[in-house]
Amino acid sequence: MVDTVKPAATSGEVKPRSVRVVLMALMIAMLLAMLDNMIIGTAMPTIVGELDGLEHLSWVVTAYTLATAASTPIWGKIGDLYGRKGSFLTSIVIFLIGSALSGMAQSMGQLIGFRAIQGLGAGGLMVGVMAIIGDLIPPRERGKYQGMMAGVMALAMIGGPLVGGTITDHMGWRWSFYINLPLGAVALAMVTAVLHLPKKTEQGARPKIDYLGAALLTVAITSTVLVTTWGGTEYAWGSGEILGLIAVGVLTTAGFLYVETKAAEPVMPLHIFRSRNFTLMSVIGFLVGFAMFGGVLYLPLFQQSVQGASATNSGLLLLPMLLSMMAVSLIAGRVTTNSGKYKIFPIVGGALMVVGLFLLATMDTGTTRLVSGVYMAVLGAGLGFLMQITMLVAQNSVDMKDMGVASSSATLFRTLGGSFGVALMGSLFSTRVTDTMSERLGPEAAEAAGSAQLDAASLAKLPDAMREAYQHAVADGTHAAFLLGAAIAVLGFAAAWFVKEVPLRGAGPAPAPSPADDADGGKAAPAAQESVAR
């Protein structure tokens, strides 16, 4: 039995007003997950100053990221087996408990542990939002709501650093965590009151949990994230620690794939990857994460170090990219809803992502903020065509019973893409900065400059020769990082051409699938009626 929406009309369709109320509650929960890291980033210097433990600073972020990534597919499967409403509410409660405990932490060790608890809940927030939307709204109708999701993302990325700085300066860093509590309480109350999804229970049936598969997947994801987090920073890429983590990741991944072929209820059913479209969307989602998180990290650094922008306004520096992404996502969603066509969007989005990253790779010390803003808008347009379309097509490519694992898998691949993007672009960036500084002023100057950790205020205190060398070094590092991003994005553009235009499920009767559709990802079409009515 699949999750069903409490019918709001005799036709079985959900009234738009009812959908909007539910979506408002879901967007608040989504904002919780996305806003947290943006706020905490601004507060980290103050946290370290009070709790000490500078050497453990990276673990405050890593613990959260690891827990989120490792729990994402498990939350998706729990929702499929036991019902989404209960699992979603549970993830919100866990996230709020972690937030409250993090705000009360008295040491870096406690904060790291409590951040891991928070991350466990965050893993279920994003998956829950996407899977519930997949149940509530047929893919054909989902496009009209894409702008809302893109708007939440833009709000988190722009407002997060500003809110974090204001809270830290006027209320103390602990309120960076406590701010989640009232937002979470509102989300809990609204979801409990307006979302009606009956439990997934069958007489005499007890779902079998794939504990071994979940454990192997957790270890595999943890190893992968640690490799991308530590490689080239904490440890050299050829060190025993990194090579050992790679070996563990490969072995546990192989073990996981074998276990999934034998499990009665696999945590990530491998049959979903038989769909060409689902597999392609997973690849494209990975590359979107690679490009987006790399851009979000290195664009503000370039504008602060080379263009002299204030760190306080770091969120506003991304405004051209985020507004472009939001506007294009809204347009693409409307066109998809009206026409039912979507194949053109991954192709155009992939092309714009390649062009945008290449243009950003051409920036140097003479590039103005206006020019860089135009380049960011091009990248944002590419991401706008891809962000929600990848999730929509992935969900349309599976049966309703696999909606949770499809949503969690798509989210996981995007998260892993972000981890790889930040790691590989970061390693290339740091290496290029150090090399350029050494070439211009010698190794001692490169070390004195702090390896690309200087903001505009710190740069102003440097001698003219060192400041100019550092700005050229950051420009060279940015060029190398975005050139790598552009090269990787070409793969996404190529993959988009192989997407098959399978009809989107709609609120009305589903068209009979052709044999070709069954083979290439359209087998979910007969489940159209299950998406909105009992």
Side-chain angles (χ1 to χ4, degrees):
M1 180 178 179
V2 297
D3 277 351
T4 58
V5 179
K6 186 176 182 179
T10 57
S11 65
E13 294 185 23
V14 182
K15 289 182 179 178
R17 182 178 179 184
S18 301
V19 171
R20 291 192 185 98
V21 173
V22 174
L23 281 179
M24 187 178 299
L26 296 178
M27 291 304 105
I28 292 174
M30 183 176 172
L31 183 64
L32 277 175
M34 299 194 66
L35 197 61
D36 189 72
N37 265 342
M38 298 293 175
I39 290 179
I40 299 308
T42 314
M44 283 309 299
T46 306
I47 294 174
V48 171
E50 183 172 325
L51 299 182
D52 295 325
L54 179 62
E55 66 276 13
H56 302 304
L57 172 63
S58 63
W59 270 106
V60 176
V61 176
T62 302
Y64 181 91
T65 304
L66 274 177
T68 301
S71 64
T72 292
I74 298 173
W75 280 114
K77 188 61 180 181
I78 289 174
D80 283 341
L81 289 177
Y82 296 105
R84 303 203 206 291
K85 182 173 181 177
S87 63
F88 185 54
L89 290 174
T90 302
S91 68
I92 295 177
V93 170
I94 293 175
F95 181 84
L96 295 182
I97 291 173
S99 298
L101 291 174
S102 296
M104 294 185 286
Q106 300 299 312
S107 68
M108 285 295 282
Q110 289 182 9
L111 181 59
I112 290 168
F114 297 150
R115 284 282 283 167
I117 295 174
Q118 197 181 22
L120 287 176
L125 290 180
M126 288 297 292
V127 174
V129 169
M130 296 303 177
I132 291 172
I133 289 175
D135 277 348
L136 288 177
I137 308 168
R140 178 68 183 266
E141 303 299 320
R142 207 172 300 155
K144 65 178 70 172
Y145 301 103
Q146 283 183 194
M148 186 183 296
M149 289 181 274
V152 168
M153 182 178 296
L155 178 63
M157 290 183 175
I158 296 171
L162 299 177
V163 172
T166 302
I167 289 176
T168 302
D169 290 341
H170 297 92
M171 302 173 67
W173 66 266
R174 296 182 187 277
W175 278 96
S176 297
F177 297 103
Y178 292 151
I179 193 66
N180 293 328
L181 301 182
L183 282 175
V186 171
L188 270 176
M190 291 183 69
V191 170
T192 301
V194 302
L195 184 61
H196 302 285
L197 298 173
K199 287 185 177 180
K200 293 189 173 190
T201 56
E202 296 181 16
Q203 289 294 335
R206 274 183 75 89
K208 297 180 180 179
I209 304 297
D210 180 18
Y211 292 109
L212 180 57
L216 288 170
L217 181 60
T218 299
V219 175
I221 293 173
T222 300
S223 302
T224 302
V225 173
L226 286 179
V227 166
T228 58
T229 303
W230 287 347
T233 54
E234 297 287 328
Y235 305 100
W237 285 106
S239 65
E241 290 84 355
I242 297 299
L243 294 178
L245 284 171
I246 292 174
V248 170
V250 170
L251 291 174
T252 51
T253 299
F256 169 74
L257 294 176
Y258 175 77
V259 168
E260 295 306 275
T261 63
K262 306 296 182 182
E265 286 287 354
V267 68
M268 185 183 291
L270 300 184
H271 67 77
I272 62 177
F273 292 97
R274 294 175 189 162
S275 163
R276 179 205 295 183
N277 277 3
F278 182 84
T279 301
L280 288 172
M281 289 303 114
S282 298
V283 171
I284 294 172
F286 179 93
L287 299 173
V288 166
F290 192 107
M292 185 178 72
F293 287 101
V296 168
L297 180 63
Y298 292 106
L299 281 170
L301 194 151
F302 175 86
Q303 292 190 303
Q304 290 172 35
S305 300
V306 179
Q307 297 180 328
S310 168
T312 306
N313 297 322
S314 57
L316 296 176
L317 300 176
L318 298 173
L319 201 57
M321 183 177 81
L322 296 172
L323 288 180
S324 173
M325 182 174 68
M326 183 169 61
V328 170
S329 179
L330 181 61
I331 294 170
R334 288 289 181 179
V335 173
T336 301
T337 296
N338 293 333
S339 68
K341 304 294 185 181
Y342 55 83
K343 180 175 180 176
I344 187 63
F345 297 133
I347 294 174
V348 174
L352 287 174
M353 190 164 70
V354 172
V355 172
L357 288 167
F358 179 77
L359 289 173
L360 290 171
T362 65
M363 295 190 303
D364 55 26
T365 54
T367 303
T368 65
R369 293 190 195 180
L370 175 62
V371 172
S372 61
V374 172
Y375 294 168
M376 281 190 283
V378 175
L379 176 59
L383 294 173
F385 278 121
L386 292 168
M387 282 295 294
Q388 303 303 328
I389 290 292
T390 52
M391 180 64 73
L392 184 152
V393 177
Q395 291 178 335
N396 190 64
S397 302
V398 302
D399 292 320
M400 293 299 296
K401 65 183 179 64
D402 292 323
M403 185 66 70
V405 292
S407 302
S408 64
S409 298
T411 303
L412 175 63
F413 281 112
R414 188 177 297 178
T415 301
L416 292 179
S419 295
F420 274 91
V422 169
L424 297 180
M425 293 172 77
S427 179
L428 193 61
F429 177 88
S430 298
T431 300
R432 194 71 199 110
V433 167
T434 302
D435 290 347
T436 301
M437 288 293 292
S438 298
E439 290 169 5
R440 287 177 173 266
L441 298 175
E444 295 80 7
E447 184 176 349
S451 297
Q453 298 300 316
L454 300 180
D455 56 19
S458 302
L459 276 172
K461 301 175 184 178
L462 293 178
D464 291 344
M466 182 174 286
R467 181 171 61 253
E468 182 180 348
Y470 182 78
Q471 289 174 333
H472 279 283
V474 171
D476 287 348
T478 303
H479 168 77
F482 284 118
L483 202 58
L484 172 64
I488 295 295
V490 171
L491 299 177
F493 175 65
W497 286 94
F498 295 93
V499 173
K500 185 175 180 64
E501 188 109 61
V502 178
L504 293 174
R505 294 196 296 266
S514 68
D517 288 342
D518 286 339
D520 292 322
K523 64 178 182 177
Q529 295 300 317
E530 296 176 327
S531 62
V532 293
R534 185 173 302 180

